């Protein structure tokens, strides 16, 4: 994929302390953007921002926020307006899961996962669009991370699968409603990506499947037609394309990046 031009843009990335979110913030910075890094983990997100500012010579501003709170999202966008200015790109990468079968999921589990994985994306997208409209801009981009779990369902991962399927639908409706404001909206559906989250999932879900984490990892990667996990940078590349100037006419779509996993 050719490089993108993000010169003069401010990109807000959630879940940016580690994993795909951090890779995505790096990619935007590499392509010339200033970045805002949001994460619930203050220490790690501050380190990530420092690392990115040094490596790419850009402005990288960290904020520690729990995105499951709509009040916290309101406060965040107010602070950003004062400290940074208008945001041009919103990349929704924060996400959590609970490794439980639906028979065992509690209302509290359901609420926690849905609020972080789905409601926060709707709410931030609304605040993002409002600040662009108020600033008189007719251009902006939203890209969110959904999952292959939204397409195939995953055993022991029901609340997450439901939330991610919700992102796909949200992306379609936002694409439709925000088109008149010049805001493109898309989502990516990654397969197994080699991050801390997936390593943690191997630990917790393996016992549900009666396997050791190593056996579980081998079984999962063996089930991918391309026979390997995806790297965070590969997802970040796709997100930078979808949120970049060359993809402005693409909206309401979800693009699967799963090594063929959803084809079988
Ligand atoms: N790793 C995979 O295999 C995979 C596959 C498909 C989709 N995804 C999705 O990609 C995204 C990133 O996944 P990852 O593997 O990099 O995970 P990760 O756990 O490494 O990173 C997620 C980040 O989100 C942050 N976060 C969690 N809850 C938050 C909250 N309430 N407020 C603010 N920040 C919060 C975490 O602190 C963490 O830094 C997630 O949405 C995930 O569902 C991951």
């Amino acid at each position: 994929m050719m490089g993108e031009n993000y010169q003069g843009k401010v990109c807000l990335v959630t879940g940016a302390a580690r994993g795909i979110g951090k890779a995505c913030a790096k990619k935007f910075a590499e392509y010339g953007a200033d970045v805002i890094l949001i994460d619930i983990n203050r220490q790690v997100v501050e380190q990530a921002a420092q690392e990115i500012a040094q490596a790419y010579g850009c402005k990288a501003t960290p904020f520690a926020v729990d995105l499951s709170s709509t009040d916290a999202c309101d406060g965040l966008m107010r602070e950003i307006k004062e400290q940074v200015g208008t945001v041009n790109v919103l990349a929704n990468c924060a996400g959590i899961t609970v490794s439980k079968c639906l028979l065992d999921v509690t209302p509290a589990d359901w609420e926690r996962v849905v609020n972080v994985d789905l409601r926060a994306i709707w709410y931030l997208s609304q605040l993002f669009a409002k600040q662009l409209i108020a600033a008189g801009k007719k251009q902006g981009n939203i890209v969110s991370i959904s999952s292959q779990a939204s397409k195939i369902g995953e055993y022991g991962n029901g609340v997450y699968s439901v939330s991610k399927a919700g992102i796909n639908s949200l992306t379609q409706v936002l694409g439709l409603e925000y088109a008149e404001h010049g805001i493109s909206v898309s989502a990516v559906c990654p397969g197994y990506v080699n991050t801390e989250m997936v390593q943690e999932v191997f630990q917790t879900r393996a016992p549900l499947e009666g396997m050791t984490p190593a056996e579980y990892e081998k079984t999962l990667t063996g089930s991918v037609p391309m026979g390997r996990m995806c790297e965070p940078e590969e997802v970040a590349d796709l997100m930078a394309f979808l949120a970049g100037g060359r993809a402005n006419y693409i909206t309401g779509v979800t693009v699967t990046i799963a090594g063929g996993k959803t084809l079988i």
Side-chain angles (χ1 to χ4, degrees), residues 16-17 22 25-26 29 35-38 41-63:
K22 185 177 180 187
K26 279 187 180 169
V35 286
I36 298 169
L37 289 87
I38 313 296
N41 190 334
R42 178 181 296 279
Q43 202 194 347
V44 186
V45 79
E46 285 176 353
Q47 276 166 9
Q50 219 171 30
E51 191 188 308
I52 289 174
Q54 264 165 17
Y56 301 102
C58 65
K59 205 169 151 197
T61 316
F63 290 95

Side-chain angles (χ1 to χ4, degrees), residues 18 20 39-40 65-67 93 145 160 164 191 193 195 197:
R18 67 176 201 178
I20 305 170
D39 207 279
I40 197 167
V65 178
D66 178 356
L67 296 167
C93 303
I145 307 187
Y160 180 85
K164 295 299 191 181
V193 189
T195 66
M197 183 210 216

Side-chain angles (χ1 to χ4, degrees), residues 13 60 74 88 124 132 145 149 251:
V13 183
D74 285 329
N88 308 101
L124 278 184
L132 280 176
I145 307 187
T251 199

